[in-house]
Amino acid sequence: MRDPLRTVQDHLDAVHTGDPEAMAADYANDAVLVRDVVYQGRDAIAGYFATVPARLGVGLVEFAEPRLEDGLVAVGWKLVGGPGDGASGTDRFEVANGLITRQTVTLDGGDF
């Protein structure tokens, strides 16, 4: 079984592929993604991830090194280029049994 840091790193690697199914593969079936809207379940999360490539345009997501923080895995990120250039935030992941069970996104400003 993957440890939490490896699980989240695998997810971040999948984000760089732009493939929504790959991005959602590290989530439990009943996982929750909390942004401005709450996405419940892997299928809903994959649906959200399907919108990300178009919203990024030519932009890229730069991730900080994942770190353990109060039992969660925290990752800072920043968008570089594209329509969301400069948007940033921190994602906090709860991981159990090698799968993400909850991701909470905290934006530093506006969304992309």
Side-chain angles (χ1 to χ4, degrees), residues 31-93:
V32 176
L33 169 61
V34 180
R35 292 183 55 84
D36 55 333
V37 173
V38 175
Y39 300 89
Q40 179 74 47
R42 184 186 295 161
D43 290 342
I45 292 168
Y48 163 74
F49 286 138
T51 71
V52 171
R55 292 184 9 241
L56 285 176
V58 297
L60 299 173
V61 184
E62 290 185 349
F63 293 109
E65 189 71 26
R67 65 190 185 280
L68 291 175
E69 180 181 279
D70 298 325
L72 306 175
V73 177
V75 180
W77 54 268
K78 180 179 179 180
L79 301 184
V80 178
D85 187 52
S88 63
T90 301
D91 292 4
R92 289 177 177 81
F93 298 88

Side-chain angles (χ1 to χ4, degrees), residues 3-58:
D3 68 46
L5 287 171
R6 177 78 259 158
T7 300
V8 171
Q9 186 61 58
D10 288 348
H11 168 65
L12 302 180
D13 292 344
V15 169
H16 285 140
T17 71
D19 176 355
E21 291 301 321
M23 289 186 239
D26 296 302
Y27 288 77
N29 287 333
D30 60 349
V32 176
L33 169 61
V34 180
R35 292 183 55 84
D36 55 333
V37 173
V38 175
Y39 300 89
Q40 179 74 47
R42 184 186 295 161
D43 290 342
I45 292 168
Y48 163 74
F49 286 138
T51 71
V52 171
R55 292 184 9 241
L56 285 176
V58 297

